[in-house]
Amino acid sequence: MKSVDKKAQTTLAIHPVLKNRWSPRAFNGKLVENDKIDQMFEAARWSPSASNEQPWRFIVGIKGDETYQKIFDTFDEFNQLWTGTAPVLALTIGYTKSLKNPTLPNPTYIYDVGQAIAHLSFQAHADGLHVHQMAGFDATKAEKIFDVPADFKVLTAFAVGYIGDPEILHPNLKKTEYGMRVRRAISETVFTGKFGEALLK
Ligand SMILES: Cc1cc2nc3c(=O)[nH]c(=O)nc-3n(C[C@H](O)[C@H](O)[C@H](O)COP(=O)(O)O)c2cc1C
């Protein structure tokens, strides 16, 4: 297996879990141990949220089971090209309403669910796994298939597993698997005074 260096080329040192996390498309097929699956969802459970409303829910499929196949069937053509080697597929769901007053929307539910996934992916990475999130799927179809209640929305999907050999990928996907990870400069991201004025150079 050719080695890929996907470490973030940071200007300052950051925690190794954050530096080394990335989103592969090639998984090696090894099953994920149940305790590691439990741990990553435990990490998501302890994520912060507005008013501690914890709007996140998850539907998880393990390769070979019916849920896995149903989740896979909602993916677009591009994501179906690579997700089949992932041992775990999951859907991320958010409760759209305020728990205190369900007639009102919860304006931060997507933000909170995203943060839960961030915690999940860092825990997974610390346990030797990789997570690859997806928006390329039919969320409405997923809501129907899994009887998701009306006040909940399927937001994203993700694949989890142990990293695999990029050579197993479809030719169109190999380039990004070997390529370096890039980000916008910090000076264009963190401001002070007014929007656009760099805090950090
Ligand atoms: C909300 C969200 C949706 C994404 N959708 C897809 C997708 O449908 N298919 C895919 O292959 N990657 C998808 N990605 C992965 C991103 O392309 C990837 O995170 C980004 O390029 C940064 O790469 P890195 O995670 O390796 O740092 C998605 C990521 C996020 C957070």
Side-chain angles (χ1 to χ4, degrees):
M1 173 167 152
K2 277 195 223 164
S3 70
V4 285
D5 182 9
K6 304 294 288 199
K7 286 185 181 58
Q9 303 301 308
T10 59
T11 43
L12 293 169
I14 60 172
H15 193 282
V17 168
L18 305 175
K19 186 176 174 73
N20 298 330
R21 180 217 61 82
W22 68 286
S23 306
R25 295 196 174 89
F27 295 95
N28 73 6
K30 179 175 172 324
L31 288 180
V32 178
E33 300 81 346
N34 285 340
D35 59 333
K36 289 193 180 178
I37 296 176
D38 291 352
Q39 265 174 298
M40 76 187 179
F41 287 106
E42 185 69 350
R45 191 166 79 91
W46 285 97
S47 175
S49 58
S51 303
N52 199 19
E53 293 215 349
Q54 306 158 61
W56 46 78
R57 303 287 191 282
F58 305 99
I59 292 178
V60 184
I62 309 295
K63 198 168 168 84
D65 75 16
E66 208 180 313
T67 302
Y68 182 101
Q69 189 56 46
K70 285 179 174 170
I71 294 174
F72 182 85
D73 290 343
T74 68
F75 291 170
D76 65 17
E77 212 180 313
F78 175 81
N79 286 325
Q80 287 196 350
L81 271 185
W82 61 269
T83 41
T85 59
V88 179
L89 296 179
L91 295 173
T92 303
I93 300 165
Y95 180 53
T96 61
K97 298 288 163 61
S98 154
L99 273 186
K100 276 188 225 94
N101 182 352
T103 63
L104 297 176
N106 173 357
T108 62
Y109 86 96
I110 299 177
Y111 181 96
D112 292 340
V113 173
Q115 185 154 212
I117 290 291
H119 283 226
L120 177 150
S121 58
F122 302 145
Q123 181 64 46
H125 191 87
D127 288 334
L129 297 163
H130 281 79
V131 173
H132 195 133
Q133 301 178 57
M134 282 163 269
F137 73 109
D138 188 337
T140 309
K141 183 174 172 183
E143 284 159 5
K144 283 201 193 100
I145 292 176
F146 291 107
D147 285 330
V148 175
D151 290 342
F152 289 79
K153 279 207 106 32
V154 171
L155 296 172
T156 56
F158 59 95
V160 186
Y162 291 98
I163 200 149
D165 185 346
E167 288 302 309
I168 67 170
L169 289 171
H170 186 278
N172 297 351
L173 301 179
K174 281 185 195 169
K175 199 169 159 226
T176 43
E177 202 78 350
Y178 287 116
M180 268 178 55
R181 297 168 57 230
V182 287
R183 290 297 187 267
R184 182 177 57 244
I186 203 155
S187 58
E188 295 166 33
T189 305
V190 186
F191 309 133
T192 187
K194 65 175 187 180
F195 189 93
E197 275 180 10
L199 172 67
L200 304 164
K201 303 288 177 226

